[in-house]
């Protein structure tokens, strides 16, 4: 089946080996993120997704912070070295997109619609996932590599304070992005008959 969206989805991969030279202007990446955040759907059109794009010393600050948190938790020297190498690869990227959810809106909706109270946090997770996947896919279309990382629980407080962001924003993911220095290997797929059933 020929579909531009499916073709873009096929291009999106996890790229760990990233470099600083973007194949497009920074403003193209920024416009893409703005468009995705605008057009990605959300429960009750609550529009709770937020994104912050970091470059240069702010991008470095983020990965230095994550490394310091991880090193404090890893006693073994060999593991420390592995952790340093892993985080150095993210820091080698051109920038990082931080994804957040605006929890104040979610709390407000929970109060307005107590019947759905429990679902709003779940739908917020769905919403941020849709936004993350869409950004990742659009970056792939632009030949910008990226991966999806989750260190939010370790760094959220410092990140909100350092970038003067609202205390009501919850950090859901970090997406380092940059030039593709090494293509990923092949990926296995389960047979689609196992995952998709057509019933009529
Ligand atoms: C919800 C979700 C969470 C993920 N979390 C991480 C993560 O914390 N660190 C990481 O390196 N990759 C993470 N990934 C990337 C997956 O490991 C990757 O997408 C999967 O192995 C398929 O490979 P591909 O992205 O190249 O298609 C995550 C992906 C998804 C969809």
């Amino acid at each position: 089946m020929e579909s531009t969206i499916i073709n873009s989805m096929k291009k999106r991969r996890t790229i760990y080996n990233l470099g600083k030279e973007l194949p497009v202007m920074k403003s193209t990446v920024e416009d893409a993120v703005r468009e995705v955040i605008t057009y990605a759907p959300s429960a009750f059109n609550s529009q709770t997704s937020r994104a912050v794009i970091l470059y240069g010393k702010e991008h470095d600050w983020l990965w230095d912070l994550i490394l310091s948190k991880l090193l404090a938790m890893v006693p073994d020297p060999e593991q420390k070295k592995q952790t340093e190498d892993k985080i150095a690869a993210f820091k080698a990227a051109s920038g990082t997109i931080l994804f957040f959810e605006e929890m104040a809106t979610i709390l407000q909706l929970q109060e307005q619609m107590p019947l759905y109270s429990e679902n709003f946090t779940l739908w917020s997770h769905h919403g941020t996932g849709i936004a993350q996947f869409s950004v990742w896919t659009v970056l792939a279309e632009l030949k910008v590599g990226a991966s999806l990382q989750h260190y939010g629980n370790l760094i959220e407080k410092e990140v909100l304070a350092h970038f003067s962001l609202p205390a009501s924003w919850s950090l859901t993911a970090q997406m380092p992005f940059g030039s593709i220095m090494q293509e990923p290997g092949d990926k296995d797929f389960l047979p689609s008959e196992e995952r998709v059933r057509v019933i009529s």
Side-chain angles (χ1 to χ4, degrees):
M1 182 195 161
E2 202 45 48
S3 148
T4 50
I5 294 179
I6 293 173
N7 283 337
S8 301
M9 286 173 67
K10 288 178 183 172
K11 287 179 201 159
R12 184 221 53 79
R13 293 297 308 278
T14 292
I15 310 292
Y16 289 117
N17 201 335
L18 295 165
K20 299 269 177 223
E21 302 303 323
L22 287 173
V24 293
M25 308 236 295
K26 281 179 176 173
S27 59
T28 305
V29 170
E30 293 153 22
D31 287 346
V33 172
R34 276 189 205 100
E35 295 263 273
V36 167
I37 292 296
T38 302
Y39 289 102
S42 56
F44 287 92
N45 197 28
S46 52
Q47 302 177 60
T48 47
S49 293
R50 305 285 182 270
V52 172
I53 305 168
L54 306 177
Y55 296 111
K57 68 174 179 26
E58 302 303 349
H59 160 87
D60 288 351
W61 175 86
L62 178 87
W63 291 105
D64 287 344
L65 173 68
I66 293 170
L67 179 62
S68 71
K69 297 282 178 185
L70 292 174
L71 289 182
M73 294 161 57
V74 174
D76 176 57
E78 183 52 35
Q79 270 185 307
K80 273 194 199 296
K81 171 81 179 79
Q82 282 170 9
T83 303
E84 278 165 0
D85 291 348
K86 185 176 176 181
I87 300 304
F90 300 139
K91 194 175 167 181
S94 175
T96 305
I97 303 164
L98 302 176
F99 290 89
F100 298 87
E101 284 287 291
E102 172 53 279
M103 300 311 290
T105 308
I106 292 157
L107 273 174
Q108 211 176 11
L109 285 165
Q110 286 176 321
E111 279 165 18
Q112 279 168 11
M113 288 178 257
L115 197 61
Y116 294 128
S117 182
E118 279 177 23
N119 288 336
F120 279 114
T121 43
L122 184 66
W123 291 333
S124 157
H125 290 301
H126 296 178
T128 189
I130 289 169
Q132 290 160 25
F133 170 70
S134 306
V135 167
W136 201 354
T137 305
V138 175
L139 291 181
E141 192 55 48
L142 297 172
K143 298 190 167 51
V144 174
S147 78
L148 190 61
Q149 303 304 320
H150 296 96
Y151 298 105
N153 57 325
L154 301 177
I155 56 166
E156 182 177 274
K157 239 170 81 180
E158 282 100 325
V159 165
L160 295 179
H162 184 79
F163 298 119
S164 304
L165 299 170
S168 52
W169 287 19
S170 170
L171 179 56
T172 55
Q174 304 83 51
M175 184 174 283
F177 65 91
S179 43
I180 300 172
M181 305 304 284
Q182 191 185 344
E183 295 289 344
D186 289 342
K187 183 168 98 163
D188 292 332
F189 296 94
L190 290 171
S192 63
E193 305 80 63
E194 209 174 291
R195 304 180 68 193
V196 180
R197 295 182 191 190
V198 179
I199 301 172
S200 59

